[in-house]
């Protein structure tokens, strides 16, 4: 039962948050530059809603926060967020596995402007190869969202939104450098004319990297990226948009290196059919390629997707219906696998009855590899008053085995089953003018989860039934010139049959950020920490917990000019989140930014 997972600390936290809320009522003084505490969220329902109205556990990271943190990699933004855990094979371009609510890394759905981006061979998304300079906003939605986004949205969905042009012409240029012989350069030109918008961005990131394995040398990383984002709005209200994003370079591993490319091409058309009916068609093609230079081993995934959705309003109620088709094609030197197609139809209803809201979802998928799957979900919310909202939800989801799971030589298993999950969640959120807090408890069952392990004697992919329970807390406050954020996660993720802890998931993690605004700049600090985690399923070996500190400052030293300095891992903490792979030590970085027009 869901009540069994609530530890005493959770009750105490609720009381503490309530006391802080009462204090915040007497101190709702926000600055003009305050970060938004009640941002709009798109990913939770596919249409814009305020966070309290989504009936989901969500985290939004705005462009202002991304800039303030001076993040070099997406992992810096995601690490220790509520319900999120990251295992990294080192730093600077090395593979990141993102676990949400204890589900597998392949069960985290990643969208780039609504376009699914993943490797059909490994199943994971290339988070490490998406430059933070190309991210305008991040939305993290925890819990199953298969009814909207299909397979792999088991633990949750992360969506990165690319920047779009504003109404005025704008040029932004930045150059930087620092520890590990790191060099960065980015330039973005955007503008609008006659209802057309354009944005062109180019960037480069190069570093010698740090030592990621004991006794080995530094492991570098190179990335060159480009984004072209175009749009035009017609007098009728119709809009057409297109984008091309390309990220490529070379990654140095111990004893080897590989060339990689991540490419996204998208075309979208939205039309207001009637006053209360909008329709949208989105076509996309993604490519995720990696080639090992010494052996010539190649992993090349191409995915083509077409998604048609319709949004219909009836008074305060909203309905979304649509269909989606996709095809995965791979080219791999180590094995052969057939193309995989998926067709789906989905529907969503959002009912607003004043203080009470209700969300119903259903989706039917047919996959050429594993047949039919029906997923559904229900969520309800109730506004206790103008500030507090309680919510409850239940949802199903599924994850198809990856091509590596099925066909990798001597370790894949073509008989593996698809993961099927059920998740129950209870939550409460409070929204003040200058503060919010959110608390959620969840109970999830992941049937036939695919895990790679050698606990039966040979390294291979296995189906295991797992049980995951957790508590997530988040809060943010803006007072005078201070902006504070905090997050905490408690997680119990086990193999039901053996009782072993699922590997690479920390049982507790926390994150705290504080920023002080000044007339011509700001200074801040971020603390992130996690307890130990199992190395592999069935092993008694655990990795040591850690706490890291990042500090930063920026100064507007002249008109249109800004200088930024950051110190990553300021205490030079030596730690691992994957066995045998060290994360980078202390690094100091300086960036100059110029804006024109």
């Amino acid at each position: 039962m869901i009540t069994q997972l609530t530890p005493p600390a959770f009750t105490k936290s609720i009381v503490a948050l309530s006391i802080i809320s009462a204090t915040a009522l007497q101190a709702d003084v926000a600055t003009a530059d305050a970060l938004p505490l009640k941002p709009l969220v798109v990913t939770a329902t596919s249409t814009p809603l305020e966070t309290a109205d989504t009936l989901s556990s969500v985290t939004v990271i705005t462009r202002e926060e991304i800039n303030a943190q001076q993040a070099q990699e997406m992992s810096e933004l995601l690490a220790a967020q509520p319900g999120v855990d990251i295992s990294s094979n080192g730093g600077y371009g090395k593979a990141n596995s993102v676990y949400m609510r204890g589900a597998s890394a392949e069960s985290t759905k990643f969208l780039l402007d609504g376009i699914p981006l993943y490797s059909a061979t490994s199943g994971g998304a290339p988070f490490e190869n998406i430059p933070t300079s190309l991210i305008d906003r991040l939305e993290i939605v925890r819990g199953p969202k298969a009814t909207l986004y299909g397979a792999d949205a088991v633990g949750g969905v992360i969506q990165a939104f690319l920047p779009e042009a504003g109404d005025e012409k704008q040029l932004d240029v930045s150059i930087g450098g620092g520890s590990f012989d790191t060099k960065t350069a980015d330039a973005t030109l955007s503008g609008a004319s006659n209802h057309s918008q354009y944005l062109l961005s180019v960037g480069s990131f190069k570093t010698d990297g740090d030592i990621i394995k004991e006794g080995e040398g530094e492991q570098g990383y190179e990335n060159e990226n480009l984004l072209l984002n175009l749009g035009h709005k017609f007098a009728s209200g119709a809009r057409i948009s297109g984008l091309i994003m390309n990220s490529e370079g070379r990654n140095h591993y111990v004893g080897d290196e590989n060339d990689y490319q991540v490419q996204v091409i998208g075309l979208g058309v939205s039309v207001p059919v009637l006053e209360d009916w909008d329709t949208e068609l989105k076509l996309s093609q993604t490519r995720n390629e990696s080639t090992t230079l010494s052996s010539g081993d190649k992993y090349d995934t191409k995915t083509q997707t077409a998604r048609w959705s319709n949004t219909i309003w009836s008074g305060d109620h909203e309905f979304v219906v649509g269909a989606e088709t996709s095809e995965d094609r791979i080219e791999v030197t180590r094995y052969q696998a057939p193309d995989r197609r998926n067709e789906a139809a989905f529907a969503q209803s959002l009912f607003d009855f004043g203080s009470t809201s209700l969300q119903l979802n259903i989706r039917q998928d047919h996959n050429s590899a594993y047949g039919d799957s029906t997923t559904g979900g229900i969520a309800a919310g109730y506004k206790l008053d103008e500030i507090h909202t309680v919510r409850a939800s239940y949802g199903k989801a599924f994850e198809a085995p990856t091509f590596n799971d099925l066909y990798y030589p001597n370790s894949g298993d073509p008989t593996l089953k698809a993961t099927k999950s059920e998740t129950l969640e209870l939550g409460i959120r409070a929204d003040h003018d200058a503060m919010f807090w959110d608390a959620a408890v969840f109970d999830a069952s992941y049937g036939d989860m695919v895990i790679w392990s050698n606990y039966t004697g040979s390294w291979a992919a296995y189906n295991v039934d797992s049980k995951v329970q957790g508590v997530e807390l988040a809060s943010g406050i803006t007072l005078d010139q201070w902006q504070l954020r905090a997050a905490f996660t408690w997680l119990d993720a086990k193999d039901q049959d053996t009782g072993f802890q699922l590997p690479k998931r920390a049982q507790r993690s926390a994150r705290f950020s504080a920023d002080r605004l000044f007339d011509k700049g700001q200074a801040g600090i971020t603390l992130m920490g996690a307890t130990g985690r199992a190395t592999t399923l069935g092993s008694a070996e655990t990795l040591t917990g850690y706490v890291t500190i990042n500090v930063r400052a920026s100064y507007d030293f002249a008109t249109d000019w800004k200088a930024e300095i950051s110190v990553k891992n300021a205490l030079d903490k030596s730690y691992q989140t994957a066995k045998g792979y060290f994360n980078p030590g202390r690094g100091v970085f300086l960036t100059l930014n110029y804006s024109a027009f």
Side-chain angles (χ1 to χ4, degrees):
M1 296 295 292
I2 191 73
T3 54
Q4 293 177 334
L5 66 89
T6 308
F10 176 59
T11 305
K12 295 177 183 178
S13 299
I14 291 293
V15 174
L17 289 171
S18 300
I19 294 172
I20 295 173
S21 297
T23 304
L25 286 173
Q26 305 298 323
D28 281 348
V29 181
T31 67
D33 296 326
L35 302 179
L37 296 176
K38 294 185 284 187
L40 294 179
V41 180
V42 176
T43 311
T45 59
S46 78
T47 56
L49 287 176
E50 282 195 358
T51 47
D53 298 327
T54 63
L55 305 182
S56 298
S57 295
V58 299
T59 299
V60 178
I61 305 174
T62 65
R63 179 72 250 180
E64 291 78 12
E65 292 174 281
I66 296 172
N67 288 340
Q69 294 185 47
Q70 301 180 36
Q72 294 174 307
E73 294 190 295
M74 198 183 301
S75 59
E76 292 182 47
L77 303 172
L78 298 175
Q81 295 289 356
V84 179
D85 207 345
I86 293 181
S87 175
S88 174
N89 288 357
Y92 299 114
K94 307 308 180 280
N96 289 322
S97 297
V98 179
Y99 302 91
M100 295 184 66
R101 289 193 167 177
S104 68
E106 294 77 20
S107 295
T108 298
K109 190 84 171 188
F110 179 57
L111 305 173
L112 194 67
D113 264 11
I115 300 170
L117 180 58
Y118 59 92
S119 167
T121 52
S122 69
F127 293 102
E128 63 276 5
N129 294 325
I130 307 299
T132 56
S133 60
L134 296 185
I135 301 175
D136 190 61
R137 187 172 84 258
L138 273 175
E139 293 183 0
I140 305 170
V141 181
R142 299 178 288 281
K145 289 297 173 184
T147 49
L148 278 177
Y149 302 112
D152 310 333
V154 177
V157 178
I158 297 173
Q159 181 160 200
F161 292 87
L162 299 170
E164 296 180 348
D167 294 331
E168 302 295 331
K169 190 175 183 180
Q170 181 75 27
L171 173 65
D172 296 294
V173 179
S174 69
I175 57 172
S179 300
F180 318 122
D181 197 23
T182 300
K183 304 179 183 67
T184 65
D186 297 281
T188 301
L189 177 66
S190 62
S193 178
N194 297 325
H195 304 290
S196 295
Q197 302 84 37
Y198 64 90
L199 182 143
L200 175 64
S201 178
V202 294
S204 173
F205 182 96
K206 296 183 179 181
T207 181
D208 287 346
D210 201 358
I211 296 173
I212 65 173
K213 270 189 172 291
E214 190 172 354
E216 301 289 346
E218 299 172 340
Q219 307 301 320
Y221 174 71
E222 302 172 11
N223 176 274
E224 294 182 352
N225 56 82
L226 176 145
L227 170 65
L228 177 62
N229 206 338
L230 304 172
H232 180 81
K233 188 171 184 178
F234 298 90
S236 63
R239 189 175 190 275
I240 185 171
S241 60
L243 69 89
I244 299 174
M245 192 283 293
N246 192 78
S247 173
E248 62 181 66
R250 180 164 292 182
N251 203 350
H252 298 257
Y253 289 93
V254 175
D256 214 334
E257 54 190 8
N258 74 319
D259 288 338
Y260 67 89
Q261 181 182 26
V262 178
Q263 186 181 84
V264 176
I265 301 174
L267 175 66
V269 179
S270 60
V271 178
V273 181
L274 297 173
E275 182 179 357
D276 297 322
W277 176 14
D278 287 353
T279 188
E280 181 181 31
L281 176 65
K282 180 168 286 188
L283 307 175
S284 65
Q285 176 178 286
T286 64
R287 181 176 185 178
N288 194 349
E289 179 182 351
S290 175
T291 303
T292 303
L293 299 188
S294 63
S295 64
D297 285 352
K298 183 177 182 179
Y299 294 84
D300 187 1
T301 297
K302 291 182 180 178
T303 301
Q304 294 179 325
T305 304
R307 180 183 176 94
W308 177 47
S309 63
N310 298 269
T311 305
I312 302 168
W313 293 270
S314 177
D316 293 329
H317 312 309
E318 179 182 289
F319 306 91
V320 178
V321 294
E324 185 178 61
T325 180
S326 64
E327 182 179 41
D328 292 328
R329 297 180 178 180
I330 70 168
E331 182 181 344
V332 180
T333 53
R334 285 184 173 265
Y335 59 83
Q336 292 184 339
D339 296 341
R340 187 156 66 183
R341 294 186 58 85
N342 192 87
E343 287 86 27
F346 56 89
Q348 171 182 268
S349 302
L350 297 171
F351 298 100
D352 186 349
F353 301 109
S355 297
T356 304
S357 54
L358 181 67
Q359 179 178 339
L360 302 173
N361 293 73
I362 190 168
R363 178 178 173 122
Q364 178 68 35
D365 285 84
H366 176 75
N367 191 280
S368 60
Y370 52 85
D372 296 328
S373 180
T374 302
T375 52
I378 181 171
Y382 181 74
K383 291 184 179 296
L384 300 174
D385 50 39
E386 292 299 317
I387 295 173
H388 300 87
T389 302
V390 295
R391 64 183 185 273
S393 63
Y394 169 81
K396 291 186 174 184
F398 71 100
E399 176 204 337
T402 69
F403 284 114
N404 282 358
D405 294 338
L406 297 171
Y407 305 115
Y408 200 85
N410 302 318
S411 53
D413 183 357
T415 67
L416 286 173
K417 300 176 182 178
T419 301
K420 294 185 178 181
S421 75
E422 297 184 37
T423 301
L424 175 65
E425 176 183 339
L426 301 175
I428 181 171
R429 182 181 175 95
D431 286 284
H432 302 281
D433 290 340
M435 178 190 175
F436 82 90
W437 61 262
D438 188 280
V441 295
F442 69 90
D443 185 297
S445 297
Y446 303 130
D448 291 318
M449 174 188 285
V450 178
I451 287 186
W452 285 74
S453 176
N454 61 352
Y455 79 106
T456 60
S458 60
W459 190 260
Y462 301 92
N463 279 129
V464 300
D465 293 333
S466 59
K467 185 74 169 179
V468 180
Q469 298 175 323
V471 177
E472 299 162 351
L473 304 174
S475 184
I477 186 169
T478 299
L479 291 175
D480 295 327
Q481 303 298 317
W482 286 95
Q483 297 174 344
L484 310 177
R485 296 288 188 275
F488 172 79
T489 302
W490 173 84
L491 190 74
D492 184 31
K494 293 180 178 179
D495 175 1
Q496 282 188 290
D497 294 332
T498 64
F500 293 136
Q501 288 288 331
L502 299 182
K504 301 183 180 180
R505 284 88 158 166
Q507 291 184 282
R508 291 172 180 82
S509 64
R511 181 184 182 109
F512 174 77
S513 294
D515 286 272
R516 175 64 161 87
L517 306 182
F518 301 95
D519 288 340
K520 292 188 176 182
Q522 67 183 84
I525 185 172
T526 296
L527 289 80
M528 293 178 286
T531 57
R533 64 194 73 199
T535 58
T536 57
L537 186 66
S539 171
E541 182 181 12
T542 60
L543 298 175
T544 305
Y546 65 91
V547 174
T548 64
I549 298 177
N550 296 340
V551 296
R552 55 192 177 268
S554 64
Y555 179 58
D556 301 327
F557 64 90
T559 303
D560 299 326
W561 287 90
K562 176 190 290 186
E564 298 176 333
I565 187 170
S566 65
V567 184
K568 311 290 185 180
N569 193 4
L571 300 182
D572 200 25
K573 178 69 174 180
S574 177
Y575 69 102
Q576 301 176 39
T577 54
K579 181 181 178 181
Y581 295 93
F582 290 95
N583 285 273
R586 181 190 299 116
V588 182
F589 306 93
L590 175 67
T591 304
L592 295 178
N593 301 282
Y594 172 73
S595 298
F597 310 128

